[in-house]
Amino acid sequence: MGIIMKRLFIDLEVCKKCEKCVIECSYYNHYPENNGITALRERVRYALICKQCEEAPCVEVCPQDALEKQEDGSLKRYNMLCVGCNSCVIACPFGTIYPELIPYLDSVCDYCKKRFKDAYLCIETCPYDAIEYKEVKEDKEKNIILINKNLGVHLKKWKL
């Protein structure tokens, strides 16, 4: 049974209604096209695809040390080091690593920590209410996955 705590929650099934994300972000260190919510969506998309290997052969094979495994198991790409050689793609034992899906943006969502308690510009500006701040626990039967301690997502199950 998962821990129930308040966290940002994105319903990716609702999110699909938008052709282009129009959510605003209060992250103070971003460019208009490189905001926190875009980085969040990248992170979610990648976390759901990467198998987060214990050994991480994609990290080991990178000739430029452009990939680093984070404490939470996710990968971080150092943009200025990546030369696009695709060694990581070849090394992935699951065939799930695609360079265009590794989180690339420099800005990252800080979940408005220490800046706001319950006011989130992303929640207020989402036209389809795809983002909420609420108590969430992982529930695979309901297709709710926890990406990290601050973020949960709902997504449709893949059909094989």
Side-chain angles (χ1 to χ4, degrees):
M1 189 159 225
I3 297 172
I4 300 175
M5 63 180 274
K6 274 193 159 186
R7 61 186 88 218
L8 212 54
F9 179 74
I10 301 175
D11 190 327
L12 292 177
E13 291 307 300
V14 174
C15 224
K16 289 179 182 177
K17 293 179 181 178
C18 292
E19 287 184 31
K20 182 179 179 193
C21 187
V22 296
I23 295 173
E24 294 178 35
C25 177
S26 63
Y27 184 60
Y28 57 89
N29 190 18
H30 74 272
Y31 302 100
E33 67 280 345
N34 188 11
N35 65 29
I37 195 67
T38 304
L40 256 188
R41 289 175 66 170
E42 271 192 359
R43 183 178 182 137
V44 167
R45 190 170 54 229
Y46 190 69
L48 297 173
I49 293 171
C50 178
K51 302 298 183 205
Q52 299 181 0
C53 303
E54 222 172 279
E55 299 289 320
C58 57
V59 173
E60 298 300 320
V61 76
C62 181
Q64 300 297 319
D65 295 324
L67 290 176
E68 179 181 82
K69 188 172 179 179
Q70 303 295 288
E71 284 183 25
D72 65 1
S74 65
L75 291 180
K76 177 178 182 178
R77 174 172 48 186
Y78 292 95
N79 304 336
M80 298 304 286
L81 295 176
C82 181
V83 294
C85 69
N86 289 332
S87 295
C88 56
V89 174
I90 296 165
C92 178
F94 297 101
T96 59
I97 189 167
Y98 302 98
E100 62 273 13
L101 294 181
I102 299 173
Y104 185 76
L105 298 175
D106 291 327
S107 294
V108 293
C109 177
D110 64 354
Y111 307 101
C112 296
K113 288 182 185 173
K114 299 180 183 172
R115 293 189 292 132
F116 307 106
K117 277 205 170 193
D118 292 318
Y120 293 86
L121 189 57
C122 58
I123 293 170
E124 293 170 8
T125 59
C126 180
Y128 293 103
D129 298 323
I131 303 177
E132 300 175 71
Y133 184 69
K134 66 180 190 176
E135 289 186 356
V136 180
K137 72 174 184 169
E138 189 160 85
D139 186 339
K140 295 193 178 177
E141 293 296 316
K142 294 181 180 177
N143 303 320
I144 296 173
I145 311 286
L146 300 181
I147 301 299
N148 58 36
K149 67 180 182 176
N150 299 305
L151 180 63
V153 297
H154 171 257
L155 70 155
K156 193 174 188 177
K157 273 189 180 174
W158 287 16
K159 293 183 181 177
L160 300 175

